[in-house]
Amino acid sequence: MHSSPGVVAVAVLSGLVAAGATALLVASARRRVGAHRQAHVLLAAAAGIALLSLLVAVAAALAAGDQWGHRQGPRTGWATLVSVGGTLSGLALGAALLRLPGAAATRAATARLLLDGVIMASALWFVGWVVLSEPTRLLGTLTPGACVPIVLATLSAALTAGLALIMVLRADPPRGRLVLLGTGTTGVTGGGLLLSAGLCQAGPVMVLTGAALLTVGLLATATAVHRVEPPGQVDVDLIRRDGEYAFVPMFAMAASAMYHLSQGGRFDAFAIVAGSVEGFALVARQYLALNDVRGYAGRLAAREAHFRELAHTDPLTGLANRRGLLRALHRCAEAGVPCVLLGMDLDGFKNVNDMRGHDVGDAVLAEVGRRLRGNLRPGDLAARLGGDEFAVLMHGGSDAGPVAERLLGVLGRPYEETDGPVFLSVSIGVAANHGQTDVKLLLRNADLALRYAKQRGKNRIERYDATYDQLLRRRTMLEHEMRGAIERDELRLAFQPVASLPSVRPVGAEALLRWHHPELGNVRPDEFIPLAEECGMISKLGAWVLHQACYQLSRWLADGHDVWVSVNVSPRELHAPEYVVQVAEALRAHHVPPQRLVLEVTEHAVATDLDELIRRLSALRLTGVRIALDDFGAGYSSLGQLRRLPIDILKIDHSLVAEHEPVRPVGRDGPAFAPMVDIVMRLGHQLGLEVIAEGVTTPTELAAVVAAGCRFGQGALFGWGVPAEHLEAMLEAATSPGARPTAVPPAPPVAPVPAPRRDEGSSQVGPAAEGASRGDVPTSVNQNVGSVDSSREMRQA
């Protein structure tokens, strides 16, 4: 009966299919390369062991035949052998599952996954024990009992099933192939269990059932592995979710135990061991989780400290950044420790970036950081606040002077680079907290001291002084009030006369800007003009001065006065693209002949881009206005530059007029003259330029410039900067009956492109008084009380 052809056919078919599946797994393992080849080798080894167990079990069942009930001893031996094979096969399958890609990247991950598998396996084993033992006995008479080999096989089957289940639950979708692989491995170990149980007690039917189940499991495993592309890769990247499924096996065990007790069952040693394993596995799993949390918390704290340090560190120099400095300042304030703050700024560093490139600039900044770290006292902090601005925080109330002097010398040494040394200086501002806790105030005081160090010549040390606050408040107030000065009608023009020599008749005037504030009073031009340059108000003020001067000039011309007006032009105005249009519009709006307007540029403007300056001045001359070079002799323009400049008038700086005593001519009779003025006069005449002597304050200076041949003068001797009506009175007095006649012919037209030399005399301001004796020095000059002498003040340029 048991050896019928049908039974033999089932046994043979199972063996053949299992052998084919094993061959597929072996071929797959041979094709695999790389880190995950070990998993395929283990699968092939497990399949080989399972195949041997199947063949042994089927052969033993067929050999028993009709004497099944009389061969219990041999069958138990065969069952033990099959159980050991199934166990070995299950262990290999479990190891293969753990070696799948992404399953367990580290030993800790492997331990967590194995413990989760043990937890799930213990629950499965306990539930199986409940349903198969007394009083439930789900399989009835087929339930094996008193067969020790079965226990070993059940443990292997439960462990493999639990491990496969936990991996399937934790895998990222899609997980169809992993489900097929898990089902196959569970079928292999389950089939081994049925083979062992059938040989031990249940009979040939269970053996054949186990053979079929094992064969199906091997076929499913081979299919799951063989279908994966590319060869050697199993797409089972697992996510790391820990402890999420622990309550499920515990719930299953608790429910099974309550059901077993309710049915009158009892717990034997196997059940107690299963429960103990579950408990210990859970405790071990939670211990690992706690270790993971502690490790993660430690790494998080270390990273937080690292990033906090990075947030307070400048990446280029390695010094503290602004946050780091503020943190140290707040700590000093909280501890009540006196400290001194040194603010430092590299002078001329922008030129390094512009001329040598930012790579060289960064290398210089890094070297500054190294020099600062190497020249500080222990406990002091160096910081880079941004750009080329640095700071040093010194703890304690000791004098910071020696440290500042040392840093001034150290940072001023050359910075050696591959393409040549870089030379820089440093300005340092020093401020102390004097026991105060206001961090912002200390930073502000150091910044103020640094600002005044740069304003007073750079490459120096300035200590904070309380007067800096007053100056800053006044500066801030001036800047705020200046923005509405035009709208509030607080600005006025004063006109300083330009006199024809030696008659001292006024023939022109220079427009000077004055500001009278209702609360601050008269604000000096040398105070508000530089501020206007810095805050961007100079263009607006210059446009107002230009229109007011043209308006007043048009009135004087309409009244019959033969006069011209000069207006100072700042370099910023001069380089503005729209300035030429503004000048042309002002002339047209006020109907002023262009040759009556003179635009004065200072000699300092020549220090900028000369070619651009020439283009701007040439464009202005095309409008018909005349150009004067103011403060000539102050030190910037060379003779070569002077020859190229498209100008019409030279205004000799007061320093050349007053610096030297007049000298007598050598080898002939004549009045004493100013030698520098004489040289400039000769130079101007050779270049076709008219010359005006500025800052003439005494009769001696007047006699000297007249003797040198200068035909026009300006200064306190001829009149202060006065309101328009005062100058108009001077013009009226000069043209009244009895006044010395002086004709002022109009200026000839200006050539479209100025020639290199101007020897045709086409740019005269006005002729000298005809018939006047050069030795006729006036003893009385018409003076008007007004503003300060224009030669001694800051104009709007």
Side-chain angles (χ1 to χ4, degrees):
M1 174 182 176
H2 295 290
S3 299
S4 65
V7 173
V8 174
V10 171
V12 172
L13 181 61
S14 298
L16 291 176
V17 173
T22 303
L24 287 176
L25 288 172
V26 171
S28 177
R30 294 180 64 182
R31 290 197 306 269
R32 267 34 176 197
V33 293
H36 302 301
R37 183 174 184 271
Q38 188 177 4
H40 296 274
V41 172
L42 288 172
L43 287 175
I49 296 173
L51 177 61
L52 291 177
S53 299
L54 183 146
L55 295 176
V56 169
V58 170
L62 293 176
D66 296 334
Q67 299 180 359
W68 185 269
H70 304 288
R71 305 188 64 179
Q72 181 64 40
R75 285 191 292 106
T76 303
W78 291 117
T80 302
L81 182 60
V82 171
S83 178
V84 171
T87 302
L88 293 177
S89 176
L91 293 176
L93 290 173
L97 291 175
L98 292 175
R99 294 295 181 181
L100 290 176
T106 64
R107 291 183 179 180
T110 302
R112 287 194 298 268
L113 195 59
L114 184 59
L115 282 174
D116 289 339
V118 169
I119 293 171
M120 195 68 70
S122 300
L124 290 175
W125 193 95
F126 186 82
V127 172
W129 176 83
V130 168
V131 298
L132 295 178
S133 64
E134 294 290 347
T136 303
R137 292 182 63 85
L138 184 63
L139 296 181
T141 59
L142 296 178
T143 302
C147 189
V148 177
I150 298 178
V151 177
L152 191 61
T154 57
L155 293 178
S156 174
L159 181 60
T160 305
L163 192 58
L165 179 61
I166 201 68
M167 290 186 65
V168 168
L169 292 175
R170 292 190 175 186
D172 283 328
R175 42 193 172 191
R177 291 193 181 101
L178 185 60
V179 170
L180 183 61
L181 179 62
T183 302
T185 56
T186 303
V188 170
T189 55
L193 172 62
L194 292 181
L195 289 174
S196 177
L199 286 176
C200 192
Q201 285 183 343
V205 175
M206 186 170 288
V207 171
L208 293 179
T209 304
L213 181 59
L214 188 148
T215 301
V216 171
L218 286 176
L219 187 60
T221 302
T223 303
V225 174
H226 188 72
R227 288 178 56 192
V228 175
E229 295 294 341
Q233 297 294 326
V234 180
D235 189 12
V236 289
D237 292 331
L238 301 180
I239 60 175
R240 273 74 172 171
R241 291 173 294 189
D242 295 330
E244 187 173 339
Y245 307 102
F247 73 96
V248 176
M250 285 300 300
F251 177 78
M253 290 186 69
S256 300
M258 293 177 65
Y259 166 78
H260 188 67
L261 291 175
S262 66
Q263 297 298 319
R266 301 179 62 183
F267 294 105
D268 57 13
F270 293 109
I272 295 173
V273 169
S276 301
V277 169
E278 178 79 5
F280 281 115
L282 283 173
V283 171
R285 184 64 182 83
Q286 294 306 312
Y287 175 77
L288 286 180
L290 181 60
N291 267 355
D292 290 342
V293 171
R294 287 175 178 172
Y296 176 76
R299 292 191 300 271
L300 185 63
R303 290 179 182 178
E304 182 182 0
H306 174 67
F307 286 120
R308 186 184 295 111
E309 192 63 28
L310 287 180
H312 292 83
T313 303
D314 176 61
L316 178 60
T317 62
L319 304 177
N321 58 11
R322 186 177 293 273
R323 288 194 189 94
L325 178 64
L326 289 174
R327 180 177 62 177
L329 287 172
H330 282 293
R331 288 175 179 173
C332 287
E334 292 171 359
V337 178
C339 59
V340 179
L341 184 62
L342 279 64
M344 294 176 289
D345 191 88
L346 300 178
D347 304 324
F349 179 76
K350 184 178 183 301
N351 294 330
V352 177
N353 279 335
D354 294 342
M355 302 302 296
R356 306 282 288 273
H358 288 275
D359 290 340
V360 175
D362 289 346
V364 170
L365 292 176
E367 177 61 24
V368 170
R370 286 189 288 270
R371 294 185 185 184
L372 285 177
R373 282 194 298 269
N375 289 273
L376 294 182
R377 306 175 309 174
D380 292 346
L381 176 71
R384 180 187 175 212
L385 305 183
D388 60 347
E389 188 177 355
F390 294 82
V392 171
L393 178 62
M394 300 175 56
H395 298 279
S398 59
D399 184 19
V403 176
E405 291 288 349
R406 183 170 69 253
L407 293 178
L408 193 70
V410 167
L411 299 181
R413 293 202 301 262
Y415 296 84
E416 298 296 335
E417 298 298 330
T418 55
D419 54 348
V422 175
F423 298 94
L424 293 173
S425 61
V426 63
S427 300
I428 301 178
V430 182
N433 62 356
H434 299 296
Q436 298 180 357
T437 59
D438 194 337
V439 171
K440 293 183 179 180
L441 180 62
L442 180 59
L443 285 168
R444 175 178 170 275
N445 292 345
D447 187 62
L448 276 178
L450 175 60
R451 176 188 299 182
Y452 281 97
K454 297 185 76 68
Q455 288 182 356
R456 294 177 180 179
K458 302 181 181 180
N459 193 28
R460 59 183 291 132
I461 301 169
E462 283 290 335
R463 291 182 177 274
Y464 169 76
D465 190 275
T467 56
Y468 294 167
D469 282 321
Q470 301 174 6
L471 295 174
L472 179 62
R473 281 194 294 268
R474 179 173 176 84
R475 175 190 174 88
T476 304
M477 184 176 183
L478 286 177
E479 181 179 347
H480 180 268
E481 295 296 318
M482 184 168 48
R483 297 187 181 277
I486 295 177
E487 291 75 9
R488 295 191 301 269
D489 196 26
E490 296 174 359
L491 301 181
R492 295 289 184 273
L493 285 186
F495 296 89
Q496 187 174 36
V498 177
S500 174
L501 302 180
S503 65
V504 299
R505 176 195 172 200
V507 293
E510 180 180 355
L512 305 173
L513 184 59
R514 299 290 182 263
W515 180 16
H516 179 79
H517 190 272
E519 296 179 4
L520 301 175
N522 291 323
V523 184
R524 292 175 55 84
D526 59 357
E527 186 177 10
F528 74 84
I529 293 299
L531 184 58
E533 289 273 8
E534 293 181 19
C535 69
M537 279 287 295
I538 192 64
S539 297
K540 183 178 180 180
L541 295 181
W544 184 88
V545 170
L546 178 63
H547 278 274
Q548 291 296 316
C550 289
Y551 168 74
Q552 187 59 54
L553 178 58
S554 68
R555 291 188 57 183
W556 285 334
L557 294 176
D559 292 341
H561 297 296
D562 194 0
V563 69
W564 50 266
V565 170
S566 65
V567 174
N568 291 281
V569 183
S570 73
R572 182 170 296 184
E573 289 179 278
L574 188 62
H575 288 83
E578 66 277 6
Y579 187 68
V580 176
V581 178
Q582 290 180 359
V583 172
E585 289 180 351
L587 293 172
R588 183 171 56 254
H590 300 287
H591 307 287
V592 172
Q595 66 272 16
R596 295 286 180 169
L597 178 64
V598 178
L599 299 180
E600 297 188 14
V601 295
T602 62
E603 194 184 17
H604 298 279
V606 181
T608 60
D609 188 351
L610 181 61
D611 293 333
E612 179 65 19
L613 178 65
I614 291 174
R615 286 192 293 268
R616 295 293 181 183
L617 295 181
S618 299
L620 286 171
R621 291 188 80 208
L622 289 177
T623 65
V625 301
R626 290 175 290 174
I627 307 297
L629 182 61
D630 197 9
D631 299 333
F632 180 74
Y636 279 97
S637 58
S638 66
L639 297 182
Q641 292 173 335
L642 185 63
R643 188 172 182 271
R644 295 180 57 195
L645 289 175
I647 60 175
D648 305 285
I649 304 168
L650 276 182
K651 299 188 74 173
I652 307 175
D653 188 69
H654 171 72
S655 61
L656 299 184
V657 175
E659 184 176 2
H660 302 283
E661 291 291 334
V663 298
R664 294 286 178 180
V666 179
R668 62 183 176 86
D669 294 332
F673 65 96
M676 297 303 297
V677 176
D678 182 71
I679 293 174
V680 176
M681 284 296 304
R682 294 174 184 272
L683 175 64
H685 289 163
Q686 288 294 324
L687 296 177
L689 305 177
E690 190 56 81
V691 180
I692 301 175
E694 285 190 294
V696 180
T697 57
T698 65
T700 302
E701 293 175 353
L702 175 59
V705 297
V706 169
C710 187
R711 298 190 296 173
F712 298 95
Q714 181 180 351
L717 192 62
F718 312 115
W720 305 92
V722 296
E725 55 271 18
H726 290 190
L727 183 63
E728 187 172 355
M730 296 174 63
L731 295 174
E732 292 285 354
T735 57
S736 62
R740 182 180 301 171
T742 304
V744 183
V750 180
V753 179
R757 295 180 60 87
R758 307 171 191 84
D759 51 4
E760 68 278 7
S762 64
S763 57
Q764 292 180 350
V765 176
E770 296 184 8
S773 172
R774 297 178 64 115
D776 184 14
V777 180
T779 58
S780 174
V781 180
N782 180 18
Q783 301 212 15
N784 295 274
V785 178
S787 304
V788 296
D789 175 19
S790 66
S791 65
R792 312 297 289 177
E793 69 182 359
M794 176 71 71
R795 302 176 181 90
Q796 67 266 29

